[in-house]
């Protein structure tokens, strides 16, 4: 009955030490994991060169994707939906400004701006 209630868990990694634990509670060695990722028999300099090359290729791929995205979303390439959103936003700002001016006129009367400045200090 207790076996039915038992929950199953995936691997757990201690972020402070880097140790990984299997569901059985056994610790996996981080070095073994890292060694499995690198080609065997490499010197430190070769590992550095390998990692630098890998990083450069990933950066290049990211830059290409990012540049392509920028080209398709260029400022001059606004679609109709973007223009409608911008128009709605500007209309909202105009309405807010008119409402604020109306409140100021009601509050400060015909003297308007001078009275408001005198009141605010």
């Amino acid at each position: 009955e207790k076996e039915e209630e038992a929950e199953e868990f995936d691997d757990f990694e201690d972020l402070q030490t880097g140790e990984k634990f299997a569901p059985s509670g056994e610790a996996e060695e981080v070095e073994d994991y890292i060694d499995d990722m690198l080609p065997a028999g490499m010197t430190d300099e070769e590992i550095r060169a390998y990692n630098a090359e890998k990083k450069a290729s990933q950066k290049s791929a990211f830059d290409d994707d990012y540049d392509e995205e920028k080209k398709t979303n260029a400022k001059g390439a606004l679609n109709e939906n973007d223009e409608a959103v911008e128009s709605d936003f500007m209309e909202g700002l105009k309405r807010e400004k008119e409402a604020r001016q109306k409140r100021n006129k009601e509050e400060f009367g015909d003297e308007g701006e001078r009275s408001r400045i005198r009141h605010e200090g």
Side-chain angles (χ1 to χ4, degrees), residues 90-116:
M90 293 304 292
E91 289 297 319
L93 288 177
K94 286 179 186 177
R95 285 192 300 271
E96 288 177 20
K97 181 181 176 185
E98 290 169 359
R100 186 172 49 250
Q101 287 175 339
K102 182 179 176 186
R103 281 194 313 268
N104 286 343
K105 185 167 182 148
E106 290 171 358
E107 182 74 27
F108 299 108
D110 292 333
E111 292 183 28
E113 190 69 18
R114 282 185 285 150
S115 177
R116 183 183 65 80

Side-chain angles (χ1 to χ4, degrees), residues 7-20:
E7 296 181 25
E8 292 185 26
F9 297 99
D10 291 332
D11 291 348
F12 171 77
E13 180 180 356
D14 186 343
L15 297 177
Q16 291 180 343
T17 63
E19 284 185 285
K20 290 191 175 189

Side-chain angles (χ1 to χ4, degrees), residues 4-74:
E4 294 174 8
E5 295 176 8
E7 296 181 25
E8 292 185 26
F9 297 99
D10 291 332
D11 291 348
F12 171 77
E13 180 180 356
D14 186 343
L15 297 177
Q16 291 180 343
T17 63
E19 284 185 285
K20 290 191 175 189
F21 296 91
S24 63
E26 297 174 3
E28 297 177 6
E29 293 295 324
V30 175
E31 291 179 14
D32 292 341
Y33 176 73
I34 292 173
D35 290 341
D36 291 342
M37 294 176 59
L38 296 174
M42 295 179 79
T43 65
D44 284 345
E45 289 180 24
E46 291 172 333
I47 291 172
R48 285 189 185 105
Y50 171 80
N51 288 335
E53 182 180 319
K54 185 176 174 182
K55 181 179 178 181
S57 67
Q58 289 175 342
K59 183 180 183 327
S60 175
F62 174 80
D63 289 344
D64 292 344
D65 290 345
Y66 184 79
D67 291 343
E68 188 64 34
E69 183 178 314
K70 281 293 192 182
K71 287 178 187 175
T72 58
N73 293 335

